[in-house]
Amino acid sequence: MTTLQSEKPTKVRWMVFGSLLALCTVNYIDRAVISICMPSIEADLHFGPALVGVILSAFFWGYTLMQIPSGWIADRLGPGKTILGSGILWGIFQVITGFLSSSSAFMAVRALLGASEAPIYPASSKLQSVWLTKNERTRGAAIVDAGSALGTAIGGPLIIAFLAWFGGWRGALMGAGVFTMVVVLICYKFVHTTPDTNKMINKAEREYIDNALKAEYESEQMASGGRTSLGLPRYLRSVTFWGMVLGFVCYDCFWYGLMTWGPMYLSQVFKVNFMAVGGSIFIIFGCGVIGSLFGGYMIDTMCMKYDPSKVVKYALAGLGIIMAIAMYLLSTATSMTLAIVYMSVAMFCEKWVGATFWMMPAAISQKDDVGIVAGAMNFMGNIGGAIVPILVGMIVTLTGAYYWAIILFMAFAIGLCIFPIGINMNKKVGSAS
């Protein structure tokens, strides 16, 4: 008979984060669909580049404004219920988008879609503090954030298939919405549980998680006077918090700029159809998936061997420099092949950066603040996400080219080298020195 001592822990925690990968993938398929369909929408409804930029931006205003409230909801109601309600709503709004014809209606519904999608990352960060030890969180964050690149990668071919199957951009939007709701209902089985309530987890894994979390949070509670929550204003006075947030702003500006305008850039500059663009987007963002998963493993491994603060700062600085070089080379690209290579290199590094940032809220926050701190970080980052599509649209309209837009992305990459200098990964905000 197997004894408790010899019982191997199950891997249910990774099934939970596998479900989050699926949810985040669908989340980004829903975001990619508008970029892939936009040339058809623009031609059908006669939208110009500046108006397209505003429509693409509308999503981010709703998404941004709901970040802190959704983080608070995840802390108070639990991440599982938050994700379920969020996913059903964003599927519904995606379906509604397929019925729209006016630019004002597009802006309004895209803003509502953004608001409904807002909880996915704060709730995922909250689940890190429930299911993962501190030495596993970058891998957990990498699995979740890989969904953003995976969804964008497979979103291109999938949405092109939807365009063919469902008779154009309207059917593609509706099909994406229905697909979303189905995946959300399937994944809810995993994400609504905790180690104490999940029926698939064995005692060995439960004790492994409980012991690690107690060692982490109980020592921090003693250092912080027994508190499990500080309130957001306390974090706003932290150098670590602002180093994390400002670095994440640069990350998000770079990410959303390429995600929203990348397909249009390839199509317009190199004069190719959207079948070719869909294949290119698959390659570019597929490299992002690899970068996220590889980077998550590397950061966790290095943080166990060396000082976590130095690991994070050196990694972000090195990755930012490579991204800046890739953007400079992209500004000089004379063929689509070279453009794909440079964008792929940048995306590999960029999603490694993303995995690193998304493990930080659970690493620097007190136990009951993880959701709201993640929401605050994403709130600030997505202000940039809301502005950059408009700014790129204005640059392209005024200059008739993408050169200065690409130089802007290079500046964001350089910011990744600078702002994280203030991050201290060795203690939680509010703990004694």
Side-chain angles (χ1 to χ4, degrees):
M1 182 175 179
T2 304
T3 63
L4 177 61
Q5 287 75 18
S6 63
E7 183 181 28
K8 291 184 178 180
T10 49
K11 302 291 184 181
V12 173
R13 63 193 184 282
W14 299 116
M15 294 173 67
V16 171
F17 279 80
S19 296
L20 289 171
L21 168 63
L23 288 169
C24 193
T25 299
V26 172
N27 182 286
Y28 271 83
I29 290 173
D30 281 351
R31 299 190 201 189
V33 62
I34 195 74
S35 296
I36 299 297
C37 293
M38 187 53 73
S40 298
I41 297 171
E42 185 179 13
D44 191 13
L45 302 181
H46 308 293
F47 297 155
L51 186 55
V52 168
V54 175
I55 291 171
L56 292 174
S57 172
F59 171 92
F60 297 105
W61 291 113
Y63 186 78
T64 300
L65 291 173
M66 277 301 294
Q67 283 302 310
I68 294 176
S70 65
W72 181 87
I73 291 168
D75 281 332
R76 297 299 180 272
L77 298 184
K81 291 178 181 178
T82 305
I83 289 172
L84 175 65
S86 165
I88 296 298
L89 282 175
W90 97 57
I92 290 171
F93 287 126
Q94 190 72 281
V95 171
I96 291 172
T97 308
F99 292 96
L100 305 179
S101 294
S102 72
S103 60
S104 58
F106 260 95
M107 293 174 203
V109 175
R110 289 290 297 174
L112 290 171
L113 177 65
S116 67
E117 290 193 17
I120 185 68
Y121 273 98
S124 297
S125 291
K126 183 68 177 180
L127 282 168
Q128 286 184 37
S129 68
V130 173
W131 278 99
L132 298 180
T133 71
K134 65 181 180 180
N135 293 326
E136 297 172 332
R137 287 182 188 146
T138 316
R139 279 170 285 171
I143 290 169
V144 176
D145 199 41
S148 62
L150 181 60
T152 309
I154 67 174
L158 182 61
I159 298 308
I160 287 171
F162 280 8
L163 285 165
W165 295 340
F166 302 126
W169 63 268
R170 295 185 184 277
L173 287 162
M174 295 178 204
V178 172
F179 179 64
T180 291
M181 289 184 276
V182 171
V183 173
V184 168
L185 291 173
I186 292 171
C187 292
Y188 179 67
K189 172 184 177 182
F190 297 98
V191 300
H192 83 286
T193 62
T194 68
D196 292 330
T197 62
N198 191 287
K199 295 181 179 180
M200 293 182 292
I201 190 173
N202 68 4
K203 189 173 182 180
E205 184 181 13
R206 184 178 293 113
E207 289 186 348
Y208 166 76
I209 295 169
D210 287 346
N211 291 339
L213 295 183
K214 284 178 182 177
E216 175 185 1
Y217 286 111
E218 286 182 1
S219 62
E220 290 293 343
Q221 287 173 36
M222 291 177 64
S224 61
R227 292 171 295 179
T228 60
S229 175
L230 302 176
L232 186 58
R234 172 63 184 83
Y235 292 91
L236 298 178
R237 302 194 299 272
S238 165
V239 173
T240 290
F241 175 83
W242 283 108
M244 175 186 74
V245 165
L246 294 175
F248 187 77
V249 169
C250 293
Y251 159 81
D252 250 4
C253 288
F254 190 100
W255 163 248
Y256 285 127
L258 283 188
M259 189 189 78
T260 54
W261 281 97
M264 295 284 283
Y265 161 77
L266 292 172
S267 176
Q268 293 176 352
V269 171
F270 299 105
K271 311 299 181 185
V272 295
N273 62 38
F274 265 75
M275 291 297 290
V277 170
S280 302
I281 293 300
F282 179 82
I283 294 169
I284 294 164
F285 288 91
C287 289
V289 176
I290 298 169
S292 183
L293 297 175
F294 176 78
Y297 172 80
M298 288 298 298
I299 294 294
D300 271 348
T301 301
M302 297 299 287
C303 283
M304 285 188 284
K305 295 181 179 180
Y306 305 105
D307 179 83
S309 285
K310 290 182 179 179
V311 168
V312 166
K313 291 172 188 177
Y314 292 156
L316 292 177
L319 293 166
I321 290 170
I322 295 171
M323 290 162 60
I325 292 171
M327 287 298 97
Y328 173 76
L329 293 173
L330 181 64
S331 72
T332 68
T334 55
S335 71
M336 187 166 174
T337 300
L338 286 174
I340 292 169
V341 169
Y342 300 145
M343 292 172 75
S344 296
V345 170
M347 193 54 58
F348 177 91
C349 296
E350 207 266 350
K351 297 315 291 180
W352 183 336
V353 168
T356 306
F357 274 113
W358 275 113
M359 66 84 169
M360 291 185 193
I364 71 164
S365 306
Q366 299 296 328
K367 186 175 183 179
D368 291 338
D369 295 329
V370 175
I372 199 167
V373 168
M377 181 181 78
N378 216 19
F379 169 78
M380 295 295 291
N382 279 278
I383 291 176
I387 293 171
V388 167
I390 296 176
L391 189 56
V392 172
M394 292 173 61
I395 291 171
V396 173
T397 299
L398 291 173
T399 66
Y402 283 86
Y403 176 81
W404 286 108
I406 295 171
I407 297 302
L408 179 65
F409 297 153
M410 187 172 72
F412 295 141
I414 293 171
L416 288 171
C417 306
I418 299 171
F419 292 117
I421 291 172
I423 296 172
N424 183 353
M425 295 291 295
N426 295 324
K427 70 183 186 74
K428 296 184 184 295
V429 174
S431 299
S433 300

